[in-house]
Amino acid sequence: TKPRFVVGAIGPTNRTASISPSVEDPAARNVHFDELVETYFEQIVGLVDGGSDILMVETIFDTLNAKAALYAVGEYLEATGLDIPVFVSGTLVDQSGRTLSGQTGEAFYVSIRHAKPMCVGLNCALGAQHMVPFVERLAKCVECFVHVYSNAGLPNAMGGYDDTPTDMAEHNRVFFEKGWLNMVGGCCGSTPLHIKAIREMSSQYAPRKLPDVGRPKMWLSGLEDLVVDDVHNHLGLPFLNVGERCNISGSLKFKKLMMAGDYGTAMDIAKKQVEDGAHVLDINVDDGMLDGLAAMQKFVKIAVTEPEVSKVPFMLDASKFEIVLAGLKWCQGKPIVNSISLKVGEELFKEQATLLRKHGAAIVVMAFDEEGQAATESEKVRICKRSYDILVNEVKFPPEDIIFDPNVLTIGTGMEEHANYGVDFINATKTIKEQCPYVKISGGISNLSFGFRGVTKIRESIHAVFLHHAIIESGMDVGIVNAHEMYHINELEPALLKASEDLVFNKSEGATEAMLVLTQKEKAIIEARKKGGVEVIKEKSWRDLDSRKRLEHALINGISEFVNKDVEEARQVSNKPLDVIEGPLMDGMNIVGDLFGAGKMFLPQVIKSARVMKKAVAYLLPFMEEEKKLKMVEDGLNPDDFDENDDSNYSGKVLMATVKGDVHDIGKNIVAVVLGCNNFKVYDIGVMCTCEKILKAAKEYDVDVIGLSGLITPSLDEMVDVAKEMSKGGFTQPLLIGGATTSKMHTAVKISPNYFTLGHPVIHVLDASRSVTVVSSLLGENKEDFVTDIMEEYDEMREDYYAGLEDRYFLTFEQAKEQGLKIDFDAVPPPPAPRKVGITTIDTVKIADIVPYIDWNPFFQTWELRGRYPNRGYPKIFNDEAVGGEAKKLFNDAQSMMKEIIEDGSMSLKGVVGQFPANRSSDGEDVHVYETEEDREAGKVLNTLCMLRQQAEKESEDPYLSQADFIAPAGYKDHLGMFAVSCFGCDDMVKMYEAENDDYSKIMAQALADRFVEAFAEYLHRDIRTNLWGYAASENLKEEDLLKIKYEGIRPAPGYPSQPDHTEKKTMWDLIKAEELAGIELSESLSMMPASSVSALVFAHPQSTYFAVGQVGKDQVTSYAERKKMDLSLTERWLSPILNYERD
């Protein structure tokens, strides 16, 4: 009564056929379709031999892998004559509702639908509650049974699953209430009890009813699905535009790029085709001078990694069958193959069609047979009907997946036998669709007007007439076109419309001659236009608007070029200067604020808008001040008493400061600009601000909110001190905390207990985009509700934090030392001695030298531009639908400024390198540095670098690391490198841009300086490895490989996770004379000055690795303080963020 079946699971493998394993080479793959088929076939044999009743291709994150598995299933069933049900289960990796390879659920189904699965559904990655919208969409489109076997919720912090059987059953209930499922189960985290609970819950519901089968439709897919029968093109016609510009015969530019191997620029053509209205992308690389097989595969492999290209289906187009088949094996979607025909003979035609059916492709069938090309209406119909009968009745090819191309041939040649080609095609189209149900009709439209090449207007007019009648009257469905240049028939001039109709329908003997006359006239106009002889109608511009509207436009679009002129014009027509600010300027800024808040405008645009606003206000200020003084005279007041700091017109006043000892202010500057754009008065008092200075300024300016910023870890303690002093001083302003080193957890646990009340909360602000919401909420009517929510959240976070400390186990310092990394320096000896021991000043490296080493990802993070999968990171961010356009503009601006900096030398680089004999101390915890080899022999220590060791218990057998582990003990000739580098000149540029009220350029300069110095550090580290030290002299890595740390050795920085104590910088500075030789100073809190500076220790041993020390216990801190000869309380202050205990 309860039959049980064995399901043989066929997983995704650990390879992906659609995704490149190499960031540098999008055409790279670590597995081929044929390899997958061979591997899967072997697995299927084993599963069926072992007794599997069902075969399930599951956990699909790359549909191309699944297509290979299903191909192998098909081959096995055909070879054995068995009939085994096939289930297919996809995995949508996150709430985007897409597979890892980028497909939507619908596109995934379309791509595997040809395998005729019994059941299709989703499993893994998500809990049932997260799958709801995706299951709904799948249930609406899938024609077979539908299943779900979700995880027991999302994994928790420890990798486990928290949903109880009851939870999981309830989360699955909605699927049955809505009637979406036929089968259900459990994936990760589920147990027999979970399955039992789901079964008991589901037993009260009826299964999903199989949908009614309607008229067969052609259904294609790229990353997204496309029902061809439902398509209307950009002209409103029921017609599928197939873009022709990635066809060597359709585009001379594309041909040149392919011959040159410039696939990157070729992708730009593909993207443009899609942007211009192509529903499907034709790819053809046929040329006698090109290796078509290799070119087709490379183009497709790259194209599938470009979301803006591969979101549409492909048409793989070649004269050789092996070329389209090779391209097909790299397509995860359902493409069209163009083409096959009977000219190869009936047997080979059937063989090719059968192979394409197994791959799930739609096909274009040309009207050719063994005797040649069909030219007349009757021949077109005869060959297409014969092909149809063979395909549908013998090959069992789905008729809805057949596209006939009855040959669009050239008219207007002057030859009488060609004159009726247009009429023959249109008439044949209607007859073929009547005799061959469900098929589509296509054609290469450019062939029609080939005799008029070079005159686009004439050609597209002929095409417009031809397509209108072929589509509307005869049912033509598909065409290879240049969508960007297409005309609608209603757009044609009367004379051109008549001439085109006469030519297409062969209405008169003089039709060709009449069109040639119009062609000559159009050519003459083109030539005259080239010479400037034809008046060009000026397009309307925003510069034609009135001054107030021009100002709004300039603000929204960040255009500062005309601001003074437009402000003056607006002032002349306003009653007073303030009206210009409160009118068009604030109207524009309000729109900017709304767009930014809605995520429709991005930070770089907001900064540009602020630049326009500042320049406009700066222009108006003298007029406003003069007006106020005149008003004071009228009122009998002394104009000398005029208050230049009147700030009564603002929404609120905010004080911004970078805390004592910290020189980093780029993030603070961005927040200040964003707040300023929203009519908040910001008092930015700069960097390295003492607590006294901050509190004094807060009183002086009578601010509503105080914001503190910091980048280095000592700044965290400084923020705690400011909070304490604010409490002692009776301050009532809310305190905002921000900066790279800060976190919501640290704010909740360490800072807020010292000051937080409902009246004056302490709030962590993650980035500039949140700042306006937070400040507006604090100064608005609903402040109490807003603060109460945060207070409750921070209370919970503190409880969780302290509970976590109680639950977490730490080794004693002695235990951690015993379990440290033990490198066998006899088996893997220390690297050879540096070519130069001692100190080297680096002052000849130019900005241009380090450009190839720049990592642009942090640059976009600075500007809060983040692409979403699959467009995360540089350069993929440019393809992102939301931020890609703005990211490209920002990048171009950066390139322009960088070029200016390189040309005028406004920024420069300088640094210093030290390479010294070194050995681990006898207790294994520190590193002794010697000035010379002789000093080492004599035991004369120049200085000692103290290190910290991991203590938090690990679940693995991994050692408890300290940087000291990477240096050999006494008796070995080991060495340690170190360097400090800076980018100089940024501060002067910042001052210049501040004087010009140009926040955008100011922040751009700071962001570039940061990139320059990081690239300089990468450049210098390579020079150390290959030259100055020379331990990896033969290294030959590309710049992009350096950014992925593929080299030998590491360069951790003091104050960062591997050694989180900034005071070690003092030792470094003493050793390498960084201030004396390179001009790099240390602040009171040991922040490097200039702000764009990087320092690092250089470990060369191949077993050295990056790690995080994490939290440490008091026993280690006590030992550390003794070794450093530093007061314990002072040591604890510097190490405060990593202590696993509360210091006194």
Side-chain angles (χ1 to χ4, degrees), residues 951-1000:
Q951 278 188 267
E953 186 183 35
K954 302 182 180 187
E955 294 183 0
S956 65
E957 298 297 317
D958 291 345
Y960 291 76
L961 298 175
S962 163
Q963 287 182 162
D965 295 341
F966 309 143
I967 299 293
Y972 294 89
K973 290 188 176 181
D974 207 347
H975 295 79
L976 178 68
M978 58 196 74
F979 66 80
V981 291
S982 282
C983 179
F984 294 86
C986 180
D987 291 344
D988 291 336
M989 290 184 70
V990 165
K991 289 174 185 174
M992 177 184 74
Y993 290 127
E994 282 178 342
E996 296 172 358
N997 293 304
D998 189 350
D999 287 316
Y1000 181 72

Side-chain angles (χ1 to χ4, degrees), residues 2 135 165 168 194 230 403 414 458 598 635 673 764 906 1004 1114-1115:
K2 291 184 180 180
V135 174
M168 193 172 179
H194 287 81
D230 298 342
I403 304 170
I458 299 297
D635 294 343
V673 170
H764 179 258
S906 47
M1004 180 67 77
K1114 189 154 189 173
D1115 53 351

Side-chain angles (χ1 to χ4, degrees), residues 62-121:
D62 182 345
T63 311
L64 186 53
N65 286 38
K67 286 175 70 176
L70 292 167
Y71 187 91
V73 170
E75 293 295 279
Y76 175 81
L77 297 181
E78 183 179 329
T80 60
L82 297 174
D83 185 11
I84 298 175
V86 177
F87 294 177
V88 183
S89 192
T91 296
L92 307 181
V93 293
D94 56 30
Q95 291 302 115
S96 67
R98 292 179 182 260
T99 62
L100 184 65
S101 55
Q103 280 195 313
T104 63
E106 294 90 338
F108 149 70
Y109 171 64
V110 174
S111 301
I112 56 89
R113 175 173 170 254
H114 64 278
K116 300 189 181 335
M118 175 184 281
C119 190
V120 171

Side-chain angles (χ1 to χ4, degrees), residues 1114-1132:
K1114 189 154 189 173
D1115 53 351
Q1116 179 168 189
V1117 176
T1118 302
S1119 168
Y1120 188 71
E1122 292 172 355
R1123 296 180 345 245
K1124 286 178 69 72
K1125 298 179 174 58
M1126 182 186 284
D1127 179 73
L1128 177 60
S1129 61
L1130 182 58
T1131 304
E1132 288 177 325

